[in-house]
Amino acid sequence: MSSTEHIQKRSFGSSINNLPCSFYVPPYARSLGELHKGSSQPIQLSPSDLNEHNSLACDEDSSSLEQFHELVDGDQQGTSTSAVVNRAFDAADVRDVIRNELVRLHELHFVAERPEAQYFALEYRSQVVSWFVQVVSALQLAKETLHCAVSLLDRYIAGTKALPTPAVIQLLALSCLSAAAKHEEVAQRSADEWVCLALSDDNRKLYEDRDLHRMEWLLLETVEWRIRVPNTFTFLRHYQAVLTNRGVIPDELASAALFKACSEFMAEISMLYAELLSFGYSTVAVACLILAESHWPFVPSGGSLPAAVTASPVQSQQRLLAAEGPAAQSFLSELTAFTELDASCVAPGLGRCLEFMSHLYHFVVFANPTDGGLALLAPILARYPQVVSHLG
């Protein structure tokens, strides 16, 4: 099976209606399908776990790269706790933080290995992630919250011995979002606000506040209370800062904003595919930057559309498959020179990751919008109108 066929079959062959609960996104959408009906059952935890932990005090890792985050046009202003510090680029500090984050990345367990966990990833994961995107957009949450929630979901599924039953899949999703928001957002929401996102067809809540508290506790125990860990967005932002500082990508405001949007667009699409987890977040981040440079060349004000947009499908596919060429070598060599690490440490398996993501990009660009294949991608496409306009 080719990569393109695998992409089409893997993430878009299943309908959103297969999810076993009513996924609600206020105030723009009522439901995503005919799903599980009826009230939820209490989660069975040990007596020591039954404390009502609404305020989750988790240690924040001071080694996080987010302290170097700088707002660029298109960010949600004032929503993320990690976006409030604006520091000048300090090469020594950034180098140390990146190296430390790469070490921490290898300590994480986020790839499903057991057959039942792999089944969850195949059957439900992409639909849950697509719903994450809709909720984050509707509530105007930060991108850090989205990536953090997906990371929590993956690490829980990879680490738990008892996978969620179909009736509580959305409760797990709500717990991931709630925990991520507690760590990343300035404005906080109550448990009742979160559980109101899971409604039956007659508008009854599927879960109670205590269900969310208990599920959060179980989630955080499973991930060892590590919420802020390196993810694709972490590496993406700071690899971009390194490449900008080294003059590899433009620092002019409009061009930088377009490059940032394109790379983040690919990063969010990549979240739908559990197969990309095996490459690691750092590799996926490097691939997103390379694809952004390869397929959306920067156009001066008043210039023409990029060649990747105006080219025929065959020419575009050839360009995609050539993404491992000059751009990949330039970006990777600059990052390895900066971090003083080997390419196998910074972006292991980059060639295979780029091949998969190139076929993914091709599918997004040339898929027939009337065949239903883009259903799970629609929330991401809606978040990046400037990128979609360049897709033609």
Side-chain angles (χ1 to χ4, degrees):
M1 182 183 297
S2 68
S3 297
T4 302
E5 292 171 337
H6 182 67
I7 287 168
Q8 293 170 326
K9 181 177 180 180
R10 162 62 185 87
S11 286
F12 303 106
S14 300
S15 168
I16 195 72
N17 295 334
N18 290 341
L19 274 176
C21 47
S22 182
F23 274 30
Y24 176 72
V25 183
Y28 310 114
R30 165 63 183 86
S31 173
L32 297 185
E34 294 294 330
L35 305 170
H36 176 71
K37 300 175 183 177
S39 60
S40 61
Q41 298 297 318
I43 300 173
Q44 300 300 317
L45 299 178
S46 64
S48 63
D49 293 335
L50 297 182
N51 300 317
E52 294 297 311
H53 288 273
N54 188 31
S55 177
L56 300 173
C58 304
D59 291 335
E60 190 165 324
D61 196 321
S62 61
S63 67
S64 173
L65 282 171
E66 301 298 345
Q67 60 195 346
F68 299 105
H69 172 65
E70 296 183 16
L71 289 173
V72 183
D73 287 350
D75 278 354
Q76 293 288 347
Q77 298 288 328
T79 59
S80 172
T81 59
S82 62
V84 297
V85 179
N86 185 355
R87 290 181 51 182
F89 186 92
D90 185 303
D93 283 351
V94 176
R95 180 182 299 106
D96 289 344
V97 172
I98 290 177
R99 291 169 66 98
N100 187 55
E101 294 287 60
L102 288 169
V103 171
R104 296 175 62 221
L105 178 62
H106 291 293
E107 299 172 352
L108 300 178
H109 182 210
F110 46 78
V111 179
E113 296 176 348
R114 294 178 295 112
E116 56 269 33
Q118 292 175 348
Y119 173 80
F120 178 92
L122 178 66
E123 190 70 15
Y124 299 121
R125 182 185 177 278
S126 59
Q127 300 172 60
V128 173
V129 172
S130 183
W131 182 73
F132 279 167
V133 175
Q134 293 183 66
V135 173
V136 166
S137 297
L139 300 182
Q140 297 185 337
L141 304 179
K143 293 171 183 174
E144 290 88 347
T145 302
L146 172 61
H147 285 264
C148 181
V150 175
S151 172
L152 287 170
L153 174 68
D154 288 330
R155 287 184 286 133
Y156 177 82
I157 295 304
T160 186
K161 295 180 179 179
L163 288 173
T165 62
V168 295
I169 287 177
Q170 190 176 12
L171 182 59
L172 171 61
L174 289 170
S175 300
C176 293
L177 279 172
S178 175
K182 282 178 173 134
H183 215 259
E184 298 289 354
E185 300 291 332
V186 174
Q188 294 295 308
R189 288 172 168 78
S190 66
D192 185 66
E193 290 178 279
W194 287 113
V195 297
C196 283
L197 300 183
L199 302 177
S200 64
D201 287 342
D202 57 358
N203 288 326
R204 291 185 297 109
K205 293 190 296 185
L206 291 175
Y207 312 112
E208 300 298 331
D209 292 5
R210 64 179 180 272
D211 296 326
L212 180 63
H213 298 156
R214 294 168 179 173
M215 189 70 238
E216 281 183 341
W217 179 264
L218 182 60
L219 166 69
L220 292 173
E221 278 199 323
T222 302
V223 301
E224 300 178 338
W225 297 84
R226 300 179 68 183
I227 297 180
R228 175 171 288 176
V229 298
N231 56 49
T232 298
F233 191 77
T234 302
F235 288 109
L236 189 68
R237 277 291 175 90
H238 301 285
Y239 286 162
Q240 181 178 352
V242 170
L243 294 172
T244 300
N245 181 261
R246 295 174 73 88
V248 180
I249 56 178
D251 57 1
E252 186 270 325
L253 186 60
S255 296
L258 176 59
F259 184 89
K260 171 180 172 292
C262 294
S263 59
E264 291 177 1
F265 170 74
M266 291 304 302
E268 291 191 14
I269 289 178
S270 74
M271 292 191 302
L272 291 170
Y273 292 85
E275 292 86 350
L276 287 168
L277 291 174
S278 62
F279 295 109
Y281 297 129
S282 178
T283 300
V284 174
V286 174
C288 290
L289 292 168
I290 292 170
L291 289 170
E293 194 279 338
S294 298
H295 310 314
W296 288 283
F298 303 107
V299 182
S301 178
S304 59
L305 286 174
V309 174
T310 59
S312 69
V314 173
Q315 291 172 325
S316 296
Q317 177 68 358
Q318 291 173 343
R319 181 177 175 82
L320 293 174
L321 295 178
E324 299 173 71
Q329 295 303 317
S330 174
F331 281 22
L332 190 57
S333 63
E334 290 291 344
L335 291 174
T336 55
F338 177 82
T339 59
E340 300 176 354
L341 293 172
D342 188 79
S344 61
C345 296
V346 176
L350 179 60
R352 291 182 293 113
C353 182
L354 272 172
E355 181 181 4
F356 186 95
M357 293 189 65
S358 292
H359 284 290
L360 170 58
Y361 169 84
H362 184 264
F363 171 75
V364 173
V365 173
F366 301 111
N368 184 348
T370 64
D371 64 7
L374 296 178
L376 298 181
L377 279 171
I380 299 175
L381 296 173
R383 285 166 59 83
Y384 293 92
Q386 71 275 47
V387 175
V388 173
S389 68
H390 279 70
L391 296 179

